[in-house]
Amino acid sequence: MKSDIKIKVCMGTGGIAAGGADVMNAFNKELKEAGIDASVEKFCSMHKVGCRGLCAKDVLVDVIINGKKTIYQYTKPDMVSKIVNEHLIMGEPVAEWVAGEDYYNFHEKQTKVVLSDCGNIDPEDINAYIAVGGYEALKKVLTSLTPEETIAIIKKSGLRGRGGAGFPTGLKWEICRKVVSSGDSPRQESDQKYIICNADEGDPGAFMDRAVIEGNPHSVIEGMIIGAYAIGATKGYVYIRAEYPLAVERLRKALTQAREKKLLGKNILNAELNFDIKVKLGAGAFVCGEETALIVSIEGQRGMPRAKPPFPVHSGLWGKPTVINNVETLANIPYIIRKGADWFSSFGTEKSKGTKVFALTGKVKNTGLIEVPMGILLKEIIYDIGGGIDKGRALKAVQTGGPSGGCIPAELVDINVDYESLAKVGSIVGSGGMVVLDETDCMVSIAKFFLEFTQAESCGKCVPCRIGTKRLLEILDRITRGKGKDGDLELLENLGNDIKAASLCGLGQTAPNPVLSTLKYFRHEYEAHIKDLKCPAGVCNDLIEYSILEEFCKGCGACIRVCPSGAITGEKKKLHKITTAMCIKCGACFDVCKFDAVKKG
Amino acid sequence: MLEVSPEIEKTLDGILNKYISDEGNVISLLQDIQDAFGYIPEKTVDWFSRKLDIPESRFFGVITFYAQFHLKPRGKNLITACCGTACHVKGSDRLISALFRELNIPEGENTTKDGQFTAEKVACVGACSIAPVIIINKKVYGEMNISKLLKHIKVKHEE
């Protein structure tokens, strides 16, 4: 019997870091030695695929024999030989390495639209995308729909911008489309329009855009071409972070392949559409994710935002009408066109349609990339998909929306995850970072962490943001050092609200959110730092001491060896001791002790 | 006026031609300089300023705005510590202080005196699910801890 074997190895940034390339090489070598690669009876092909979400269990490998899929987790190169011999040759999967219940639980409550082909197709091969229906949407648009009809479909679908603000995408396109005909542009008649893909994913704790571009770059390109047709743009840019080298490489490859297939360039698919895309590398400034700052950065200047209006749809890149869409927004477009607006709007809630991709990280068991219908319960994400809190600890809070978002406390874990519900509790959906915090995380320290970030990334143009964030950070810093004063919390609140009200752009307007939301729900923790000089979670260095617990210490000497300041003494097999005066609180002993004998607090 | 050698001039000419044919973008120009030299030598800014009749202040304005640009030479080995949210809650702070301590990098600097190592922090590399993350010479290492990190540094020292 002739069998058809497909092997898919996860080669996203996570997969490669876990050794994906070595696993792939091992397969190639073993297949050659086993003679499978040259066999007529066994048609075998290897594919590298993008992220399929569950990065915590990388390297994930799919072995598909005659359509029957087996998934291996934690694959290492030295496991490959056994998989080839027992599974590929003998037909018996290696049961002990096959992904278990966790893998299926992780996927069960997810609904994949944007990620439906991610992790399934080879991102470096345009034909793989075409084979699963790629560029069908573009064909449909060019042959049977006018730009207005295309916009109408997107409007009807209810798609809202996935970059954070949640502005309706169809409406944005429509406004830009109409700029020429109605002549309401401040710069009047416009012969040139632009569409920009915002891939400057700077939120710490978010990697959806990276994964989409690494896993299925053509979906973004197709979305951009359709957008260009709808608004009448002939030039497009992808503004992408230079910190994502693999995504940049795959995007460039995809663009070259699209040009070869006449999907970019002049007379795309023989229609009257001329459009091409350029890649612009960001240079490491978070504020450039703000659209007006992004525009001036493409123009080659310091990326400082300006006041709106005029909005970019009226006066954007080089003063021309410009639509800026986020990666995930654009990647949704081909699927909406192919499957219809009604199909898309059947997911989600009344005001938040469709699905959203989140980067689920922090203290959950199954960290990774997930896509869920809008309106899903937060606890379903954490306990069903995420598998609950790691190490059996208790959930403390969920941070969403990165430095612009807030912390949702454990007692609100029953809320729905959509634009409106999260806004109501003082957080945001944002770009989709979701960091789970447990009882060992200090909320004051988390707020300080985000403020350090926004303060450093503030471009300095407007005073409330430049000076306000600095003052906020100073207050937080002294609280974490045990030097907080009476009235500090009120000061944080007043100042935070002023910064929100008076800042020029989204960065400043949202920068106080992490502070304000933690103050709202975890005020007692702030108070413990100020009044009792204690950090309840045992994180803030100035408020804790390290000591060794007599009942657990085995006298193994591991802590003595790692201590950089020589603060730990003791003989082998006897109780060790930390000299507090010499301790620099680096935590090395805490990390290295296998017996939990080092106490923090 | 700072002199540049004919060899360097040839590289700069290439970058200049690309700049002229490609929309005249200062950021791309600086990215090209940094690709060629590993950092942005001041004399190259001086050279372009004269060629293009753009004040040096505009170049320095852009260079100092963006975190990616460096005005000082970098070490042979580049160790980047991610301090994104996920890495932060998984203890990247302790990793970072161990890194700077081990390499004995002077306060306020990021490169060792012998030019062997540059250590720096990056906001987020988007590999949050394998936090904490360290990147050594462009290779991403996940689930890092202090002892693994020290081993990597030792290996690089011996190379």
Side-chain angles (χ1 to χ4, degrees):
Chain A
M1 195 188 88
K2 202 174 157 165
S3 54
D4 178 30
I5 304 171
K6 284 196 183 79
I7 299 165
K8 296 181 178 181
V9 182
C10 182
M11 291 273 275
T13 293
I16 291 175
D22 297 335
V23 170
M24 191 124 177
N25 289 338
F27 264 109
N28 279 325
K29 186 171 151 266
E30 294 290 337
L31 291 172
K32 206 167 188 180
E33 278 173 13
I36 295 178
D37 68 327
S39 150
V40 193
E41 291 86 49
K42 290 192 165 132
F43 177 75
C44 182
S45 55
M46 290 281 301
H47 307 267
K48 59 169 133 175
V49 295
C51 186
R52 63 265 307 282
L54 196 49
C55 312
K57 299 202 187 298
D58 268 330
V59 178
L60 291 163
V61 176
D62 287 354
V63 174
I64 307 161
I65 302 178
N66 296 328
K68 191 169 177 294
K69 180 157 98 174
T70 310
I71 302 153
Y72 290 101
Q73 61 187 16
Y74 301 119
T75 317
K76 298 266 171 293
D78 56 10
M79 292 157 63
V80 170
S81 146
K82 191 166 171 176
I83 296 174
V84 169
N85 286 324
E86 293 186 11
H87 191 176
L88 270 55
I89 297 175
M90 311 296 286
E92 264 313 303
V94 188
E96 57 189 304
W97 297 333
V98 172
E101 218 175 303
D102 257 10
Y103 186 89
Y104 296 97
N105 289 345
F106 179 76
H107 287 101
E108 204 191 331
K109 290 213 170 162
Q110 297 196 44
T111 305
K112 301 211 171 181
V113 175
V114 173
L115 299 179
S116 54
D117 296 317
C118 241
N120 200 24
I121 59 170
D122 184 342
E124 297 184 10
D125 180 6
I126 190 170
N127 292 319
Y129 180 61
I130 291 172
V132 293
Y135 291 107
E136 288 294 326
L138 178 63
K139 266 181 218 156
K140 183 172 164 188
V141 165
L142 292 182
T143 52
S144 65
L145 296 171
T146 64
E148 285 77 11
E149 285 165 344
T150 310
I151 291 172
I153 294 176
I154 302 303
K155 274 180 87 172
K156 193 170 167 229
S157 75
L159 175 66
R160 291 167 66 177
R162 296 294 193 242
F167 191 82
T169 307
L171 185 61
K172 194 188 262 186
W173 286 11
E174 187 176 57
I175 298 168
C176 192
R177 169 95 210 154
K178 283 183 178 162
V179 168
V180 164
S181 51
S182 61
D184 59 358
S185 157
R187 311 241 178 157
Q188 292 304 314
E189 291 284 297
S190 185
D191 50 339
Q192 177 72 57
K193 288 180 188 173
Y194 297 99
I195 183 163
I196 297 173
C197 169
N198 184 350
D200 190 42
E201 182 175 56
D203 277 16
F207 55 93
M208 300 74 51
D209 297 351
R210 173 182 66 71
V212 170
I213 294 180
E214 283 176 10
N216 192 1
H218 286 288
S219 63
V220 182
I221 296 171
E222 189 179 4
M224 276 185 87
I225 306 171
I226 294 169
Y229 173 74
I231 64 167
T234 56
K235 280 187 190 157
Y237 290 89
V238 179
Y239 187 87
I240 184 168
R241 289 179 85 200
E243 287 90 338
Y244 287 174
L246 184 65
V248 173
E249 183 195 320
R250 290 199 176 149
L251 180 66
R252 286 201 166 126
K253 258 187 204 159
L255 287 170
T256 309
Q257 291 173 351
R259 275 184 210 113
E260 283 164 7
K261 293 236 182 239
K262 286 203 62 130
L263 294 160
L264 285 172
K266 287 218 160 78
N267 298 103
I268 291 171
L269 296 172
N270 298 318
E272 272 180 40
L273 176 63
N274 302 327
F275 179 67
D276 210 334
I277 298 172
K278 260 192 174 170
V279 177
K280 281 277 172 196
L281 290 188
F286 173 66
V287 70
C288 290
E290 199 281 338
E291 53 185 13
T292 59
L294 187 150
I295 286 170
V296 290
S297 180
I298 291 183
E299 291 169 356
Q301 303 167 45
R302 287 165 69 98
M304 308 234 259
R306 61 160 172 78
K308 295 188 277 192
F311 288 94
V313 283
H314 292 121
S315 176
L317 189 59
W318 319 109
K320 304 290 185 188
T322 304
V323 158
I324 301 178
N325 287 138
N326 160 268
V327 171
E328 192 188 332
T329 314
L330 288 166
N332 266 304
I333 302 288
Y335 297 98
I336 294 173
I337 299 282
R338 241 192 285 158
K339 299 184 175 174
D342 293 331
W343 167 82
F344 184 80
S345 60
S346 70
F347 306 114
T349 64
E350 198 197 328
K351 285 183 176 164
S352 306
K353 298 292 185 198
T355 59
K356 175 79 190 90
V357 183
F358 286 98
L360 182 63
T361 60
K363 307 288 179 66
V364 279
K365 282 195 188 112
N366 303 330
T367 56
L369 194 70
I370 62 166
E371 183 170 359
V372 290
M374 286 280 192
I376 190 173
L377 298 178
L378 184 58
K379 64 175 178 191
E380 290 180 285
I381 294 183
I382 293 164
Y383 292 104
D384 298 339
I385 298 172
I389 310 301
D390 208 10
K391 295 180 184 157
R393 291 187 185 138
L395 171 71
K396 186 172 202 176
V398 182
Q399 207 285 337
T400 66
S404 315
C407 288
I408 303 164
E411 58 266 27
L412 292 178
V413 77
D414 284 327
I415 60 164
N416 300 87
V417 176
D418 58 58
Y419 293 109
E420 283 73 28
S421 308
L422 291 196
K424 224 183 278 169
V425 298
S427 191
I428 56 168
V429 170
S431 56
M434 195 175 264
V435 185
V436 179
L437 307 172
D438 70 17
E439 53 196 326
T440 63
D441 289 307
C442 167
M443 302 313 286
V444 187
S445 159
I446 292 288
K448 185 179 129 190
F449 165 77
F450 282 116
L451 249 293
E452 272 172 359
F453 178 78
T454 33
Q455 193 271 325
E457 294 295 337
S458 171
C459 79
K461 184 168 176 172
C462 73
V463 177
C465 177
R466 182 183 69 231
I467 300 173
T469 55
K470 192 152 183 94
R471 294 289 100 88
L472 274 184
L473 180 59
E474 281 168 5
I475 301 169
L476 288 172
D477 190 58
R478 72 171 175 247
I479 294 176
T480 58
R481 285 180 194 285
K483 297 195 173 131
K485 294 183 242 175
D486 270 349
D488 269 355
L489 301 187
E490 292 71 26
L491 189 56
L492 280 176
E493 272 165 343
N494 286 340
L495 186 54
N497 285 319
D498 289 348
I499 296 169
K500 280 180 80 157
S503 291
L504 175 66
C505 81
L507 192 155
Q509 287 160 10
T510 60
N513 284 352
V515 186
L516 295 175
S517 79
T518 48
L519 258 178
K520 184 171 166 193
Y521 297 113
F522 299 95
R523 206 179 180 92
H524 52 278
E525 252 188 82
Y526 281 84
E527 284 164 352
H529 281 74
I530 298 174
K531 293 189 183 134
D532 312 333
L533 301 182
K534 285 237 150 55
C535 174
V539 173
C540 298
N541 256 342
D542 289 298
L543 304 178
I544 56 169
E545 270 179 16
Y546 286 89
S547 55
I548 292 175
L549 296 168
E550 200 171 333
E551 58 270 39
F552 294 116
C553 180
K554 304 265 189 253
C556 69
C559 54
I560 298 181
R561 283 192 292 278
V562 293
C563 181
S565 61
I568 308 179
T569 48
E571 285 170 41
K572 220 165 174 56
K573 298 203 172 158
K574 282 190 184 151
L575 177 66
H576 294 350
K577 193 171 174 295
I578 300 178
T579 310
T580 307
M582 287 167 78
C583 173
I584 58 166
K585 296 176 187 172
C586 69
C589 52
F590 182 84
D591 288 334
V592 82
C593 182
K594 285 183 189 140
F595 311 104
D596 292 329
V598 179
K599 187 180 156 233
K600 223 172 22 169
Chain B
M1 205 167 84
L2 299 158
E3 287 300 322
V4 295
S5 71
E7 213 174 306
I8 290 177
E9 185 129 30
K10 210 177 139 197
T11 313
L12 297 184
D13 269 327
I15 296 172
L16 182 66
N17 288 335
K18 198 174 151 206
Y19 172 86
I20 292 165
S21 64
D22 184 30
E23 301 180 351
N25 188 312
V26 171
I27 294 177
S28 308
L29 175 105
L30 292 169
Q31 283 170 336
D32 288 344
I33 298 177
Q34 188 150 297
D35 278 347
F37 300 97
Y39 72 108
I40 298 175
E42 272 187 48
K43 57 186 175 186
T44 61
V45 175
D46 176 71
W47 190 89
F48 279 107
S49 168
R50 280 182 285 113
K51 285 274 178 188
L52 295 167
D53 200 20
I54 296 173
E56 280 187 43
S57 60
R58 253 207 76 203
F59 288 102
F60 286 115
V62 172
I63 294 168
T64 51
F65 187 86
Y66 294 100
Q68 193 192 56
F69 296 124
H70 308 283
L71 285 162
K72 284 183 184 167
R74 326 253 289 141
K76 208 176 98 197
N77 295 296
L78 179 61
I79 304 182
T80 312
C82 180
C83 47
T85 321
C87 291
H88 176 78
V89 301
K90 292 212 172 168
S92 64
D93 270 1
R94 292 206 295 275
L95 272 182
I96 291 163
S97 47
L99 176 63
F100 278 77
R101 202 170 50 231
E102 178 67 20
L103 293 175
N104 201 9
I105 291 172
E107 185 88 24
E109 299 278 325
N110 59 14
T111 303
T112 53
K113 281 190 185 134
D114 60 2
Q116 285 296 305
F117 290 93
T118 290
E120 62 185 13
K121 296 196 260 182
V122 63
C124 182
V125 295
C128 317
S129 50
I130 49 171
V133 173
I134 295 275
I135 302 163
I136 303 175
N137 298 334
K138 292 192 178 170
K139 194 161 186 256
V140 178
Y141 296 91
E143 287 163 18
M144 218 1 115
N145 58 38
I146 292 179
S147 52
K148 276 198 221 170
L149 176 64
L150 298 186
K151 258 181 221 154
H152 280 296
I153 294 173
K154 208 172 153 212
V155 170
K156 292 287 165 207
H157 254 308
E158 284 159 6
E159 269 173 17

